Amino acid sequence: MQTLDPSPDPSGAGSAPSGEVRRTVLVIGGAEDRIGRSVVLKRFVRLAGGHRGHIVLIPTASSFAGEVSESYRDVFTRLRGGDMTVVHPETRRDADDPDMVAALDAATGVFLTGGSQVKLAQNIVGTPVGDAVVRAYQRGAVVAGTSAGASIMSRFMISLGEEGLTPRQRASQVSAGLGLVEDVIIDQHFDQRGRYGRLMSMVAASPNLLGMGIDENTAGEIRDGRTMSVIGAGSIFIVNARNAITDAPDARRGAPLLVSGAVVHSLPTGSTFDLDHVELTAFVERHPDVEGAVVPAKVRAAASASTPAR
């Protein structure tokens, strides 16, 4: 297994101008473009140090870990990324493997693939491998996740739940995440799978948490747990229910929830958002056909047909 001296990100992305460590999380809404301009994955490769970096891929969430690993190896090679090591604990006991931990301790970038949130919670969180992912983040390596891999970045993650536009009582299950992003609960495939209702139900019951719904082929680059920049073809939806009125304490199981007065933000590419103060801080208009790497429908369909479902 290849290892690499855990030095700072050679691109400078992991260090703040003052010399302090800059911590970066890249949360991706799933179905990111791997065959066109690959704007989101190109950003990850750059943050991981480009051709001088060492990427560790964790495909544990997927039922097709081998195929998924080769797919990402191909795209990272095309994007001129550095070495890639696969760390795949298939059970919680596997996550004690010192070689897996050593690979993560040498990484300049960590990437968690999509699949099952429950598998990630079971096999990664609270294990030596999970602790090594947290250490990588703390020392300045970029940690990215797509789909289920994005959900696990928060302290609490939606691991199961009903889809639909209406928020309903107890329609979702929450599991522990890695805690790299505080006070936020992340959902993915947001527009494409109609997950507005389940995200709203989560923040209605826990109004201290911000809800973050990420569209496919879209990512939020979160720096130092506070400043988020949006890239990709879709939008990121932020729900703030801290001052909302709700009947969540009294509603029966499955009942539609009252949520009145929640504040929502729809943030397309070019948006910069302060997660601490829950406010937009900048916006630069960027059109998806230029910046979002939208792949023609026929090309995407052909690629999907040749790639195992996750």
Side-chain angles (χ1 to χ4, degrees), residues 54-258:
H54 179 201
I55 295 170
V56 170
L57 185 85
I58 303 178
T60 300
S62 177
S63 299
F64 304 94
E67 295 92 330
V68 167
S69 298
E70 287 309 306
S71 174
Y72 279 104
R73 187 182 300 276
D74 289 345
V75 71
F76 291 148
T77 298
R78 178 173 65 83
L79 297 175
R80 299 181 181 178
D83 296 332
M84 190 187 93
T85 299
V86 176
V87 165
H88 178 39
E90 297 185 65
T91 67
R92 193 168 180 86
R93 180 173 294 182
D94 290 343
D96 292 339
D97 187 336
D99 287 341
M100 294 186 184
V101 172
L104 286 161
D105 283 338
T108 59
V110 179
F111 193 98
L112 291 91
T113 73
S116 167
Q117 285 98 302
V118 176
K119 286 177 69 175
L120 282 179
Q122 179 65 30
N123 295 341
I124 299 293
V125 177
T127 68
V129 162
D131 294 343
V133 174
V134 174
R135 283 198 305 274
Y137 168 73
Q138 290 173 340
R139 63 177 167 76
V142 57
V143 179
T146 182
S147 190
S151 291
I152 202 175
M153 298 300 175
S154 52
R155 185 167 300 281
F156 305 101
M157 67 171 174
I158 303 173
S159 53
L160 292 172
E162 298 178 4
E163 298 173 351
L165 298 180
T166 300
R168 295 184 180 275
Q169 178 72 310
R170 300 181 186 178
S172 301
Q173 172 180 304
V174 177
S175 299
L178 290 171
L180 304 187
V181 182
E182 297 281 353
D183 301 327
V184 175
I185 191 160
I186 298 169
D187 211 345
Q188 15 74 19
H189 302 282
F190 190 68
D191 176 52
Q192 290 76 14
R193 299 188 185 177
R195 289 177 168 173
Y196 177 91
R198 78 179 193 179
L199 186 64
M200 186 69 77
S201 69
M202 289 289 98
V203 297
S206 301
N208 62 306
L209 300 177
L210 291 178
M212 180 184 295
I214 311 173
D215 289 345
E216 293 180 354
N217 197 22
T218 306
E221 180 181 327
I222 303 173
R223 296 181 296 280
D224 298 323
R226 174 178 177 176
T227 303
M228 180 179 72
S229 300
V230 182
I231 60 173
S235 291
I236 294 181
F237 190 84
I238 301 289
V239 185
N240 177 7
R242 291 170 181 172
N243 296 312
I245 298 169
T246 178
D247 66 341
D250 305 309
R252 69 184 187 280
R253 178 183 290 272
L257 282 175
L258 167 70

